[in-house]
Amino acid sequence: MNYSCLITLNEKSIENNVRFLQKKLGSKVVLSAVVKANAYGHGIEPMVPLLSKYGVKHFSCFYYSEACRIKQVLSAPSTILIMGYIPGNSLVDAIRSGFEFFVFSMERLHETIHVCKEFQLKAKIHLEMETGMNRSGIDQSKLPELIALLKENTEYIDLVGFCTHLAGAESISNHTRIQRQVKNYFKFLSSLQKEGVEPKIRHMANSAAAFVYPKTRLDMVRIGIMLYGFWSSAEVFVQYLARRVHKTDPLKRILGWKSQIMAIKKVKAGEFVSYGLSYLAQEDVVTALIPVGYASGYSRSLSNRGKVLVHGQICNVIGLVNMNMIILDITGLDQCSVGDEVVIIGKQGEREIKVSAFSDSTNRLNYEVLTLLSPEIPRKVLFLS
Ligand SMILES: *Cc1c(COP(=O)(O)O)cnc(C)c1O
């Protein structure tokens, strides 16, 4: 290894996950691959061409800058949808590039029409409606104005999508709230249709909704976390398994993370290790220094708690996680030397460190652990069965 650490991406798992999702969703539902936050930390540049290779033709991201990166690495004709932020002065470039985007407020609609009139363009928009999440989306009270604007500006506005986002389909405790959102969505849709305004693609589901509430699949689903091999929550997974004969996980993890030993040291009983007083050696210990820290995405909350694999054995992180280093207790491991492989996420021998091991407390943490992985870490694509 010429680098401090490496993220591996298993192409076979990508193929597996895309095939599973396509099979479950059927040919009538478009699978939009959500690749925001650097493809959930996996890397936009390696992931997008691989997803494309296995048949994904629709990509969703959050920022205009991400859309540009996706476009750069795509060779097959595909749709790129920006679900979030486009700076005002990039709107014209976004439209010229053929990017589709969420119109999440009346201000954004006015601005879009203005730009299109000025430069004689037609924008491909997805109306995002406020159905009850109270985050982004156009309010019901704006419907008359919205319909009028859409009818007046058909020359400038191509109404591609009509969508909303559900506020937590991965948890049964949100059931009532989700049902109300779905109802509101269809109410808004019929208001538009009554006026002869017909969006081409109706969509609202993310991974959790697509599986927990299959009726929300409509014309398209925006799938993020499942593509990368994770279920949105334990609840969603258990619910899926309950209806199956074979109780095995159909999804496969794509990402692995490994590093190597940088130095080895003996520390005497009674000594503190690393900054401060957080780790006191109770007996003589052998430590290994690993060139990975919170700047790489190894959370500081894993101080004295993290676990990694060396020689197929689980080793504890001792002391505080530093900016660029962690220290392991490798006491008792035979013949460790500098350069030996350390697995931070993934398998080594018979054992595996899962992303979920980073914390078993919250299901949201999977997303967080992944998206905090530094984009500077090199990504290497492998094909492992
Ligand atoms: C992130 C996101 C998704 C994907 O969510 P997953 O839970 O990862 O499937 C879908 N839609 C919107 C608007 C999002 O922001």
Side-chain angles (χ1 to χ4, degrees), residues 201-216:
I201 302 174
R202 303 161 304 147
H203 56 106
M204 64 163 93
N206 63 355
S207 298
F211 280 78
V212 180
Y213 307 99
K215 283 197 182 116
T216 63

Side-chain angles (χ1 to χ4, degrees), residues 32 34 36 40 60-62 83 102 128 135-136 164-166 170 204-209 221-228 232 364 367:
S32 182
V34 178
K36 62 189 178 192
Y40 289 49
S60 294
C61 59
F62 187 83
M83 305 186 293
F102 276 24
E128 187 191 6
R135 185 176 71 173
S136 47
T164 195
H165 188 58
L166 301 172
E170 67 281 353
M204 64 163 93
N206 63 355
S207 298
V221 292
R222 309 180 303 257
I223 302 280
I225 200 80
M226 288 181 81
L227 268 178
Y228 306 98
S232 316
R364 276 283 140 191
Y367 292 76

Side-chain angles (χ1 to χ4, degrees), residues 164-203:
T164 195
H165 188 58
L166 301 172
E170 67 281 353
S171 172
I172 189 77
S173 56
N174 302 326
H175 183 80
T176 313
R177 191 175 175 198
I178 301 294
Q179 294 299 337
R180 209 171 59 216
Q181 283 193 274
V182 173
K183 220 171 115 196
N184 284 338
Y185 175 90
F186 283 109
K187 213 169 75 193
F188 294 165
L189 182 61
S190 60
S191 302
L192 254 70
Q193 289 168 328
K194 263 188 226 137
E195 295 287 333
V197 179
E198 188 67 56
K200 297 181 188 104
I201 302 174
R202 303 161 304 147
H203 56 106

